[in-house]
Amino acid sequence: MYRTHTCGELRISHIGQQVMLSGWVQRIRNLGAMTFIDLRDRYGVTQIVIDESSSSAVKDIADRLGREFVVQVKGIVIERASKNSKLATGDIEVKADVINMLNISEIPPFTIEDDTDGGDELRMRYRYLDLRRNTVKNALLLRHRMAQEVRKYLDHQNFIEVETPFLIKSTPEGARDFVVPSRMHPGEFYALPQSPQTFKQLLMVAGFDRYFQIVKCFRDEDLRADRQPEFTQIDCEMSFVEREDVLNTFEGLIKHLFLQVKGINFTEPFPRMSYSEAMERFGSDKPDLRFGMEFIELGGMLKGKGFGVFDNAEYIGGICVQGCAEYTRKQMDELTEFVKRPQVGASGLVYIRYNADGTVKSTIDKFYTSEDLMSVANKMGAKLGDLILILAGAKNKTLSALSELRLEMGNRLGLRTKDVFVPLWVVDFPLLEWDDEAQRFFAMHHPFTSPHPEDIHLFKTDPASIRANAYDLVINGVEIGGGSIRIFDRELQQTMFDALGFTKEEAEKQFGFLLNAFRYGAPPHGGIAFGFDRLCALFGGSDSIRDYIAFPKNNAGRDVMIDSPSYISQQQLNELSIEIRRKE
Ligand code: ASP
């Protein structure tokens, strides 16, 4: 028997008990007459004490211990002289009668404590040591709790968990596929699923009317800061449902998670906003609604006064920033620099200070009278002391730049706090998106998304304005999930493939299995998938999904611990009939 209790368990009530603990030596303090050991396991830290009255065998072993040694301690629980209120076990310590050294450890490459001296790369290389640290461990415990609660809720709602294959067929779903060569079929490849999309639809055809799966998805995309080539979705599909049914069911899931995991009770329905409204008011399809600063269109007021930048702009929009009229010259220059960054893309920034004394002062005083500027301030709902920031230019570009500026001001003013959660359903996305480079339409969501029935006639005349029966769940400006009501009619699916520029043969070759299934009584269906890693990060108050993944890849898509990707042997290549073209 290794232990009677965990290292997080002992309290005042255990005083006088003989106990056994096993764990890792986090720290040793040798104070001459006394030695203290912080013994750690998954559950916490307990102080072990060795004093003058301890046996020489115990003292001997204590002298030989080092960081991360694995030991078993037998002893008696005593009250601490100086209690540590920061530690759950801080009222007690265990006076060691016996210490068994179960294993030794080399000196770890970084300190395994809450604040570590280990850089990212080092911690990733030794991720199993990193995982011993509280912050990382707690992230995985949170993830576990979330997964259990997801299963509990969905099981209760009659969803069944079905596994779908990982070795599937390469299909043009949006991102690039990871592919796996087939040994038995030389020259042929499997693809790893970007999502189980078509399989979950086939499960609906099969009559399983409520499916879910917590499932890995794979996308071979260039990695941006917070992307992983493999990530996890809570993937769901339902039959005989309309949009309302799906939104209500999964709003229920998210509310359940908030209540069970964070103790936050959302009593009101999540607000809904159409894509076009989100774009007009916030310049983003995932607006952060923790704060206001809505866009106000100012074209009508500002055009025609001889200021060329405005007169020639397709769109002029402003935001009103509370209490910032006194921003210094330097701060304004910083903001101008900010909007000019290539990622933001504006050509300049115009501002109006609505000073505390009631005067207005702007960068465009030459073209506008105080009355003009006053009426802008009024239209923006500005109060004394507010600062109005204005961008102008091509509409979409300006909306997006103003959105970045709004988020930046939200950050500067501390309005994006991590312990406030504001959810939003964004609905009615465009079905199709024109790609100038490829000179064709792409599906904004995916090719199986149903158009609004009343927009179907637009396939012939104005495909770009067809609204999709699609929805995203956004929380705090982060896209947490997305889905749609699907096409379940063969003809309509074919129309969609036509609009996407697939020939009949291509559609047949890529998606014949789905089109075939639709011949045999496909029910109306729809679903959604949530980014599970991101949901966990949001709940944990972190910007990084990596913290919530046990063994993540780095920004270059590498697992630096197992050193992958890596070369394979010539024999393996031969078996796969693959020849590598080495770079000169
Ligand atoms: N398969 C979709 C995705 O991964 C989600 C859905 O439509 O259910 O984005």
Side-chain angles (χ1 to χ4, degrees):
M1 184 179 184
Y2 283 108
R3 56 183 176 184
T4 55
H5 296 80
T6 70
C7 295
E9 204 176 338
L10 298 173
R11 301 287 185 275
I12 284 278
S13 61
H14 295 95
I15 284 173
Q17 282 188 31
Q18 199 68 38
V19 297
M20 271 188 261
L21 301 179
S22 288
W24 287 263
V25 173
Q26 172 149 312
R27 211 190 287 181
I28 310 162
R29 274 157 295 142
N30 194 330
L31 307 180
M34 300 245 236
T35 301
F36 295 100
I37 300 169
D38 287 347
L39 192 66
R40 173 197 349 102
D41 67 8
R42 179 187 134 188
Y43 303 91
V45 170
T46 300
Q47 177 162 290
I48 311 296
V49 59
I50 296 133
D51 64 18
E52 279 171 325
S53 69
S54 301
S55 70
S56 56
V58 166
K59 285 183 195 156
D60 267 4
I61 292 198
D63 279 345
R64 286 190 283 133
L65 295 179
R67 275 181 187 258
E68 303 308 315
F69 277 41
V70 187
V71 298
Q72 180 195 38
V73 175
K74 298 180 192 175
I76 188 162
V77 184
I78 58 175
E79 186 166 3
R80 272 212 214 181
S82 56
K83 298 196 167 61
N84 179 354
S85 60
K86 288 199 198 104
L87 209 59
T89 61
D91 287 347
I92 57 94
E93 59 196 357
V94 172
K95 184 169 179 305
D97 296 326
V98 179
I99 300 180
N100 288 325
M101 205 190 284
L102 302 176
N103 211 341
I104 58 170
S105 168
E106 290 186 16
I107 296 170
F110 50 85
T111 50
I112 301 177
E113 295 187 21
D114 289 2
D115 289 322
T116 177
D117 52 357
D120 256 12
E121 189 80 10
L122 195 62
R123 290 194 295 109
M124 288 304 142
R125 174 128 21 100
Y126 297 92
R127 183 65 165 173
Y128 42 89
L129 297 181
D130 197 30
L131 287 168
R132 288 183 190 165
R133 294 173 53 235
N134 270 326
T135 42
V136 194
K137 177 192 75 191
N138 289 339
L140 287 197
L141 293 180
L142 175 78
R143 186 181 175 112
H144 165 77
R145 182 82 274 131
M146 305 267 291
Q148 300 317 307
E149 292 298 338
V150 167
R151 292 203 161 91
K152 217 191 280 173
Y153 175 88
L154 291 176
D155 178 50
H156 198 71
Q157 301 276 332
N158 260 337
F159 282 78
I160 63 160
E161 191 166 9
V162 182
E163 288 169 81
T164 51
F166 275 179
L167 296 177
I168 65 164
K169 181 188 173 76
S170 186
T171 57
E173 224 185 290
R176 208 174 283 117
D177 285 325
F178 279 104
V179 293
V180 180
S182 160
R183 177 185 55 81
M184 291 197 280
H185 305 279
E188 295 186 71
F189 290 82
Y190 300 101
L192 301 180
Q194 294 181 29
S195 83
Q197 184 60 37
T198 49
F199 288 97
K200 65 174 171 175
Q201 293 192 241
L202 292 171
L203 286 170
M204 296 303 111
V205 179
F208 293 99
D209 65 339
R210 289 180 166 218
Y211 141 94
F212 88 102
Q213 183 179 193
I214 299 182
V215 62
K216 274 289 174 73
C217 301
F218 307 85
R219 296 182 190 175
D220 186 5
E221 295 174 297
D222 291 336
L223 297 181
R224 283 196 250 124
D226 204 27
R227 282 232 182 114
Q228 287 278 309
E230 52 177 304
F231 59 95
T232 305
Q233 284 189 344
I234 309 168
D235 190 47
C236 312
E237 197 75 8
M238 304 169 81
S239 290
F240 305 114
V241 287
E242 295 175 330
R243 184 176 83 185
E244 272 318 289
D245 303 309
V246 179
L247 297 194
N248 287 333
T249 303
F250 293 101
E251 185 166 316
L253 168 67
I254 297 299
K255 284 179 173 172
H256 173 84
L257 290 175
F258 269 111
L259 188 59
Q260 297 305 320
V261 179
K262 295 204 71 80
I264 297 174
N265 192 2
F266 283 98
T267 49
E268 298 295 311
F270 293 175
R272 315 252 172 103
M273 194 182 287
S274 72
Y275 169 88
S276 56
E277 186 182 342
M279 293 308 286
E280 290 291 335
R281 290 172 60 191
F282 301 99
S284 165
D285 60 0
K286 39 177 190 291
D288 184 346
L289 295 191
R290 279 173 296 184
F291 64 106
M293 276 189 225
E294 279 188 36
F295 298 4
I296 305 286
E297 216 273 320
L298 297 168
M301 286 189 132
L302 293 173
K303 276 177 182 251
K305 307 273 174 157
F307 181 42
V309 174
F310 283 178
D311 289 350
N312 299 322
E314 184 188 0
Y315 172 87
I316 308 172
I319 54 173
C320 177
V321 188
Q322 276 179 16
C324 287
E326 287 178 11
Y327 255 33
T328 61
R329 185 65 215 224
K330 184 159 163 275
Q331 284 172 305
M332 292 317 307
D333 288 348
E334 272 170 22
L335 285 185
T336 307
E337 283 310 307
F338 174 84
V339 301
K340 284 182 173 174
R341 286 185 201 169
Q343 313 92 290
V344 180
S347 45
L349 174 67
V350 167
Y351 58 84
I352 304 173
R353 301 176 194 271
Y354 188 18
N355 297 317
D357 63 7
T359 59
V360 281
K361 185 98 192 87
S362 85
T363 39
I364 45 172
D365 286 346
K366 241 198 330 199
F367 302 96
Y368 299 89
T369 64
S370 308
E371 287 74 47
D372 292 336
L373 298 176
M374 241 2 240
S375 44
V376 170
N378 285 335
K379 175 152 189 191
M380 306 263 336
K383 303 203 177 53
L384 294 178
D386 288 355
L387 175 69
I388 295 163
L389 301 175
I390 301 171
L391 297 180
K395 182 162 182 183
N396 290 340
K397 221 174 141 194
T398 307
L399 284 174
S400 131
L402 199 51
S403 165
E404 293 298 326
L405 180 61
R406 173 178 176 268
L407 295 177
E408 170 69 13
M409 295 318 293
N411 285 337
R412 283 176 181 241
L413 299 187
L415 302 173
R416 304 180 75 195
T417 39
K418 293 208 189 306
D419 48 359
V420 174
F421 297 92
V422 185
L424 170 74
W425 286 109
V426 178
V427 299
D428 294 343
F429 283 79
L431 185 71
L432 303 165
E433 219 176 0
W434 180 256
D435 186 294
D436 258 341
E437 215 170 288
Q439 283 292 302
R440 73 166 181 92
F441 281 110
F442 280 85
M444 188 142 179
H445 189 47
H446 52 57
F448 318 107
T449 294
S450 166
H452 268 286
E454 62 270 34
D455 290 358
I456 292 180
H457 69 279
L458 295 168
F459 269 113
K460 290 204 184 72
T461 50
D462 185 9
S465 61
I466 302 174
R467 285 166 305 155
N469 208 343
Y471 31 78
D472 274 1
L473 179 66
V474 174
I475 303 179
N476 293 0
V478 179
E479 184 198 324
I480 288 299
S484 59
I485 297 299
R486 323 298 184 189
I487 297 170
F488 68 105
D489 170 75
R490 219 179 115 77
E491 293 299 313
L492 185 56
Q493 187 64 69
Q494 190 58 58
T495 307
M496 180 69 173
F497 287 142
D498 290 344
L500 295 173
F502 286 91
T503 63
K504 270 220 159 43
E505 293 69 41
E506 279 169 336
E508 189 56 41
K509 201 165 153 228
Q510 302 271 11
F511 298 114
F513 60 96
L514 189 68
L515 291 169
N516 263 338
F518 282 3
R519 290 175 201 267
Y520 298 98
H525 60 286
I528 194 165
F530 296 95
F532 186 53
D533 313 288
R534 189 149 290 152
L535 191 61
C536 292
L538 179 86
F539 270 57
S542 165
D543 290 327
S544 163
I545 63 171
R546 264 204 258 170
D547 298 347
Y548 294 81
I549 297 173
F551 298 105
K553 311 240 180 320
N554 73 6
N555 281 344
R558 277 204 161 273
D559 184 324
V560 293
M561 181 182 69
I562 60 171
D563 189 23
S564 164
S566 58
Y567 294 108
I568 57 175
S569 71
Q570 191 55 50
Q571 188 193 339
Q572 285 172 297
L573 288 172
N574 293 347
E575 280 172 355
L576 295 168
S577 313
I578 288 182
E579 216 171 281
I580 302 289
R581 211 188 291 155
R582 307 239 177 245
K583 282 206 184 109
E584 295 302 304

